[in-house]
């Protein structure tokens, strides 16, 4: 994620509501929330860290 290097470490990205260090280097951001289980089935130790939909 592209964080402002001058922002405080707990500053969250507005669109996904996670801060630096709360997720790994690589993440999946599926457009359809129902795809997450399918994607996770191909990965070892997959964890849901944040669930957010725009309303």
């Amino acid at each position: 994620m592209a964080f402002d290097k001058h922002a405080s470490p707990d500053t969250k990205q507005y669109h996904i509501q996670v801060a630096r260090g709360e997720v790994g280097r690589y993440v999946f951001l599926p457009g359809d929330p129902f795809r997450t289980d399918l994607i996770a089935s191909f990965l070892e130790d997959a964890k849901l860290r944040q669930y957010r939909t725009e309303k």
Side-chain angles (χ1 to χ4, degrees), residues 7-40:
S8 70
D10 60 342
T11 299
K12 293 187 181 265
Q13 291 287 298
Y14 72 94
H15 58 295
I16 55 175
Q17 291 299 304
V18 295
R20 182 186 299 272
E22 290 184 344
V23 295
R25 182 174 177 156
Y26 301 103
V27 298
F28 285 103
L29 300 171
D32 179 354
F34 299 107
R35 275 190 217 130
T36 56
D37 291 333
L38 175 63
I39 293 168

